[in-house]
């Protein structure tokens, strides 16, 4: 166990009861040497987890920083998102009998936070918590398309881009595709994450009009063609719109 992390967490626990604490108070209550407390507090302050208010040159007072509020809002939003999305995902999966995922962007990757399986004997075996590049697959590309241009450039300029099936990705073509995805609010991928599979995704908006997740459906490419593909697109759009409305988005 990392003792520095444990000590830092013990310091944060002190703020459950106290709004602000001095360096001396923190060292005493956490039962750690003052130099150690100062080092940990400096790190926590630098990361935005704590803020420092100097009252005098001999000691400083600390309080919880806005970074914790940001973390709390993210956790709350994602829990709310999963709770709202799951019933719609279950209906969507039952209607089309394919695997349905909920995907979010996190630290410049796409993370799968919820999944509803199909009733087919053979289906995709993705795991909740799996992360993939934001430029591979319909769900990740949907999220990438709605990121600010500067963030897109950072992700796309990381060197050579390849799919999970080892296909080289043309960056110029991908940039054009992202513009179409943003305009049409619909993304598709063929054989990018698994061979012979197709993925189709739809954006989920929050109350601020930001895309916070992608509703993604995937299965064997042979089942994603012609009229059936159009039906999947229509149903997916409807369910994604309903989720967005539940999250406060107004079209």
């Amino acid at each position: 166990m990392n003792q520095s992390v444990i000590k830092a967490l013990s310091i944060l626990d002190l703020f459950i009861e106290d709004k602000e604490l001095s360096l001396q108070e923190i060292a005493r209550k956490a039962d750690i040497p003052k130099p150690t407390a100062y080092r940990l507090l400096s790190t926590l302050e630098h990361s935005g987890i704590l803020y420092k208010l100097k009252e005098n040159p001999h000691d400083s007072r600390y309080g919880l920083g806005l970074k914790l509020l940001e973390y709390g809002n993210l956790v709350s939003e994602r829990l709310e998102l999963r709770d709202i999305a799951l019933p719609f995902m279950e209906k969507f999966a039952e209607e089309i009998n394919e695997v349905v995922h909920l995907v979010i962007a996190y630290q410049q990757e796409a993370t799968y936070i919820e999944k509803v399986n199909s009733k087919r004997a053979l289906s995709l075996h993705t795991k909740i918590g799996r992360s993939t590049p934001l430029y591979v697959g319909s769900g990740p590309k949907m999220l990438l398309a709605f990121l600010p241009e500067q963030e897109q450039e950072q992700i796309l300029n990381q060197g050579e881009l390849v799919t999970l099936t080892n296909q080289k990705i043309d960056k110029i073509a991908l940039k054009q595709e992202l513009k179409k995805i943003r305009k049409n609010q619909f993304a598709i991928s063929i054989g990018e994450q698994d061979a012979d599979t197709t993925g189709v995704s739809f954006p989920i908006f929050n109350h601020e009009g930001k895309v916070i997740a992608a509703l993604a459906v995937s299965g064997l490419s042979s089942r994603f063609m012609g009229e059936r593909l159009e039906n999947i697109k229509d149903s997916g759009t409807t369910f994604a719109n309903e989720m967005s409305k539940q999250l406060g988005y107004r079209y």
Side-chain angles (χ1 to χ4, degrees):
M1 245 179 232
N2 189 308
Q3 293 301 313
S4 292
V5 173
I6 292 174
K7 290 176 182 177
L9 291 175
S10 70
I11 288 175
L12 293 179
D13 284 341
L14 299 177
F15 292 93
I16 294 175
E17 295 183 359
D18 294 286
K19 184 178 179 181
E20 291 182 356
L21 289 166
S22 70
L23 170 59
Q24 291 180 345
E25 289 171 331
I26 290 168
R28 176 175 54 80
K29 291 188 176 187
D31 193 24
I32 56 178
K34 191 172 179 180
T36 301
Y38 179 78
R39 176 174 54 82
L40 293 172
L41 289 167
S42 296
T43 300
L44 292 170
E45 181 197 359
H46 179 74
S47 64
I49 294 176
L50 293 179
Y51 74 89
K52 180 169 67 174
L53 176 65
K54 288 190 175 180
E55 290 187 340
N56 59 65
H58 304 294
D59 203 1
S60 302
R61 299 191 70 79
Y62 295 82
L64 295 178
L66 293 178
K67 179 61 71 173
L68 285 176
L69 179 61
E70 181 181 339
Y71 288 151
N73 287 337
L74 284 172
V75 172
S76 176
E77 184 178 79
R78 288 169 186 173
L79 288 174
E80 179 185 19
L81 173 62
R82 290 177 67 176
D83 288 343
I84 289 173
L86 187 56
F88 293 105
M89 293 172 66
E90 291 172 340
K91 291 178 183 177
F92 189 24
E94 182 178 2
E95 183 176 307
I96 62 173
N97 198 18
E98 300 290 355
V99 179
V100 176
H101 295 100
L102 188 64
V103 195
I104 63 168
Y106 179 66
Q107 294 186 343
Q108 295 194 338
E109 287 189 318
T111 300
Y112 293 73
I113 64 170
E114 191 56 271
K115 173 186 178 182
V116 177
N117 283 313
S118 72
K119 296 178 181 178
R120 299 183 186 277
L122 295 176
S123 62
L124 301 179
H125 295 286
T126 51
K127 294 181 179 179
I128 294 176
R130 175 194 183 192
S131 293
T132 63
L134 277 168
Y135 48 81
V136 178
S138 66
K141 287 191 295 187
M142 174 61 70
L143 299 169
L144 180 59
F146 281 88
L147 287 180
E149 188 174 343
Q150 184 177 357
E151 289 186 49
Q152 284 188 18
E153 290 296 328
Q154 289 178 350
I155 292 168
L156 297 180
N157 291 333
Q158 293 176 355
E160 185 179 64
L161 307 182
V162 295
T163 67
L164 301 188
T165 52
N166 294 319
Q167 303 172 39
K168 289 186 179 180
I169 297 174
D170 184 318
K171 293 183 182 180
I172 295 177
L174 177 57
K175 288 180 180 180
Q176 293 301 315
E177 181 183 3
L178 293 176
K179 290 180 181 179
K180 290 181 180 179
I181 290 171
R182 190 179 182 98
K183 178 182 178 181
N184 299 329
Q185 298 188 11
F186 163 77
I188 188 167
S189 66
I190 301 174
E192 294 185 13
Q193 294 194 3
D194 297 281
D196 303 318
T197 64
T198 292
V200 184
S201 295
F202 314 88
I204 299 174
F205 297 86
N206 67 3
H207 64 285
E208 296 177 326
K210 297 179 180 178
V211 171
I212 58 170
L215 175 66
V217 56
S218 52
L220 291 177
S221 294
S222 59
R223 300 197 296 263
F224 284 69
M225 302 175 68
E227 185 177 350
R228 188 167 191 275
L229 176 58
E230 294 305 313
N231 290 337
I232 290 173
K233 289 167 62 176
D234 290 342
S235 293
T237 299
T238 298
F239 283 116
N241 287 347
E242 287 300 317
M243 292 182 205
S244 298
K245 290 178 183 177
Q246 289 289 320
L247 290 165
Y249 181 63
R250 294 293 176 262
Y251 288 87

